[in-house]
Amino acid sequence: MKLDPALIARTKGFLNEVEGQMLFELAQEASGHGPCLEVGSYCGKSALYLGAGCHENNGTLFSVDDHRGSEEQQPGEEYFDPELFDCQSQSMNSFPFFRRALVSAGLEQTVVPIVARSAVAAKAWATPLALVFIDGGHALETVSSDYAGWSSHVIAGGYLIFHDIYRHPEEGGQAPYTVYRAALDSQLYRELPAVGSLGVLQRIEPASLSAGILRHGERENLNH
Ligand code: MG
């Protein structure tokens, strides 16, 4: 499907076009092997790209966010957007924006919103994932918890992607990079070329199987 550039432009978010295009391509490939999941839906910018990629395979993107804004998006904080403040509940609510973006893009049958805190959704999760994109809160505790909650579901050959990877403190916050380094140090992933501030890791396949992404069933067979 062709994404409408005007829709992308008017959808709030912190992803640039080059990063978005990369997400589209990775989701297009990964969704042929299993569902994809992102943490941090916000107003839907990344879901448009990831969802469009999944749509090519009649695949699914799960998009997790409690839509109450992350630490840095609360009133008085650096990334607070008063348009997203719901006066009735006196809290942030980005869900109406997110839903509107999905409807406009025709992605309601592709993107499944999970309106919950990432850790709450992860606690009950059991479905293998071909791609996980971590772009929720940027506090170290939050990124670490997102990594701990979701990375174990990434299938061999699948992608674990982080947004806001800055290798030097003067470029931006270091929490995502710290967790990205920990993922690399686990030796379960190989590093693919970065695109903008996207850090892209690929889950290493068992040495005995060299080609293609393993499907869940195949992986099960390996374990028995
Ligand atoms: Mg981000």
Side-chain angles (χ1 to χ4, degrees), residues 17 25 27 33 37 40 47-48 57 68 104 117 137 152-153 160 182:
E17 211 178 308
E25 287 168 21
H33 304 281
L37 181 141
L48 293 180
N57 287 308
R68 295 299 185 199
S104 302
R117 291 186 70 84
S152 61
H153 300 291
L160 177 66

Side-chain angles (χ1 to χ4, degrees), residues 52-79:
C54 290
H55 187 269
E56 302 290 300
N57 287 308
N58 196 24
T60 299
L61 171 71
F62 295 98
S63 185
V64 182
D65 199 320
D66 66 2
H67 288 282
R68 295 299 185 199
S70 52
E71 307 85 354
E72 63 272 21
Q73 292 163 347
Q74 301 306 315
E77 300 299 324
E78 191 180 354
Y79 290 97

Side-chain angles (χ1 to χ4, degrees), residues 14 135 138 163-164:
F14 307 95
D135 189 24
H138 290 61
H163 195 220
D164 304 304

Side-chain angles (χ1 to χ4, degrees), residues 13-15 19 39-40 46 72-73 133-136 138 162-166 176 197-198:
F14 307 95
L15 196 74
E19 294 168 341
V39 178
S46 50
E72 63 272 21
Q73 292 163 347
F133 176 47
I134 295 181
D135 189 24
H138 290 61
F162 292 84
H163 195 220
D164 304 304
I165 294 301
Y166 302 111
S197 74
L198 286 183

Side-chain angles (χ1 to χ4, degrees), residues 8-16 41-46 163:
I8 295 280
R10 71 170 184 266
T11 303
K12 293 173 188 286
F14 307 95
L15 196 74
N16 70 38
S41 321
Y42 194 51
C43 297
K45 196 160 209 144
S46 50
H163 195 220

